[in-house]
Amino acid sequence: MEDSTYKFLHNESATHYRHLEDQRQKSITLLYAFMFSIVGFLGFLSEGNILANVINNLTLFLLIALLFSLFGLLTYTNVTSLQGAMKGHASVMAECQRRFESDDGSDWFYSAWKRGHQIPYTPLSILMTWMKGDSIAQISRLSIAIPVFVFTALPAAFYLDSQNAFSVSNPEGLLQLICFIGSSLISVLIFFDVIRAQGSTVAFNKG
C-alpha cells in the first residue's frame, strides 16, 4: 500500500479510538453519578442516618443494591467491549507507525514515549503489576467492580445478620432472598472476571 493509505488508516483509527475512549469515560462517569445520586437519595430518606435506615428498610436497600449491580454489570460489559474495539484500533495505529519507522530518527517520538511511559517502582506498583493494574483497561474494570462490590456488601451484611435471613415464609422474605442472591452473584461475577482478565481485552473475530 502507498504511504497515503497508511496515513489514512492511522488517522481513521485514531479518530475512532478517541471516540471509543470518550464513550468509555462517559459510561464510567454515568455509573458513579448514578451511585452518588442513590446515596444522596437514601441520605435524604434516612435524614442522615443511613445505617439505621438500612436495618429498618432492608428490603428497599436490597432491591436498590440489585438494581445498581445490574446497572454496574451492563456498564462493565459495555466498557469491556469498548476496550476490545480500542485495542483493535491501537493495533492498526501501531502497525502504521511501525511502517514509518526508519533509521533517520523519524521514530523518535514513539521511542521516547515508550521509554517515558513507566510506573514508579513502589509497593503499590508491585500490586498493580500483579493485577495488571498498569493497564488502563484493568483500571477501568476495577473502577466498576469496586463500587458495585461496596454498594452491595453493606445491605448483604445486614441481611445475613437479620433474623429473616433465607426465610421464604412470606413475600417480603422471598424478595429479600432474590435481591441478596442476585446482587451477590453479580458482584462476585464482575470481580472474578476482573481477576481472570488480568489486563486482557475482548478479541473480535474477523467477519
Side-chain angles (χ1 to χ4, degrees):
M1 288 189 293
E2 298 179 355
D3 290 349
S4 59
T5 303
Y6 285 115
K7 291 180 180 179
F8 174 78
L9 291 175
H10 181 278
N11 293 337
E12 284 293 304
S13 290
T15 300
H16 289 298
Y17 188 96
R18 286 192 296 268
H19 173 70
L20 293 170
E21 174 63 23
D22 182 61
Q23 293 298 314
R24 176 172 68 173
Q25 292 177 356
K26 288 181 178 179
S27 297
I28 297 176
T29 301
L30 183 61
L31 176 68
Y32 276 84
F34 183 46
M35 181 182 68
F36 285 119
S37 64
I38 291 177
V39 172
F41 175 71
L42 296 178
F44 173 77
L45 290 180
S46 59
E47 298 181 353
N49 194 352
I50 297 180
L51 291 179
N53 200 38
V54 170
I55 302 175
N56 297 329
N57 300 279
L58 185 58
T59 303
L60 174 62
F61 272 75
L62 285 170
L63 181 59
I64 292 176
L66 176 61
L67 293 176
F68 180 76
S69 61
L70 286 172
F71 186 73
L73 178 62
L74 292 175
T75 303
Y76 182 86
T77 304
N78 180 49
V79 168
T80 303
S81 299
L82 290 173
Q83 289 172 167
M86 290 170 62
K87 186 177 181 180
H89 286 294
S91 299
V92 173
M93 289 188 290
E95 179 63 19
C96 292
Q97 293 165 3
R98 185 187 66 81
R99 291 180 179 274
F100 282 106
E101 290 181 354
S102 62
D103 296 332
D104 60 3
S106 60
D107 62 333
W108 67 271
F109 175 80
Y110 308 109
S111 300
W113 186 88
K114 292 176 182 178
R115 291 195 303 270
H117 185 63
Q118 301 292 334
I119 296 178
Y121 187 78
T122 63
L124 179 59
S125 68
I126 296 175
L127 176 62
M128 291 176 61
T129 302
W130 177 76
M131 284 290 297
K132 299 297 182 182
D134 53 339
S135 165
I136 297 178
Q138 190 73 342
I139 293 296
S140 297
R141 292 190 184 99
L142 286 171
S143 66
I144 298 172
I146 291 175
V148 170
F149 176 80
V150 172
F151 204 88
T152 58
L154 183 61
F158 278 103
Y159 173 75
L160 292 174
D161 190 56
S162 65
Q163 297 180 350
N164 296 327
F166 303 103
S167 174
V168 294
S169 58
N170 55 75
E172 184 178 9
L174 180 60
L175 179 60
Q176 289 182 357
L177 180 61
I178 293 174
C179 293
F180 166 74
I181 294 177
S183 59
S184 299
L185 284 178
I186 292 174
S187 179
V188 171
L189 174 64
I190 293 177
F191 246 111
F192 175 77
D193 192 78
V194 170
I195 296 175
R196 182 192 60 80
Q198 290 286 295
S200 64
T201 54
V202 174
F204 291 93
N205 296 324
K206 293 181 179 180

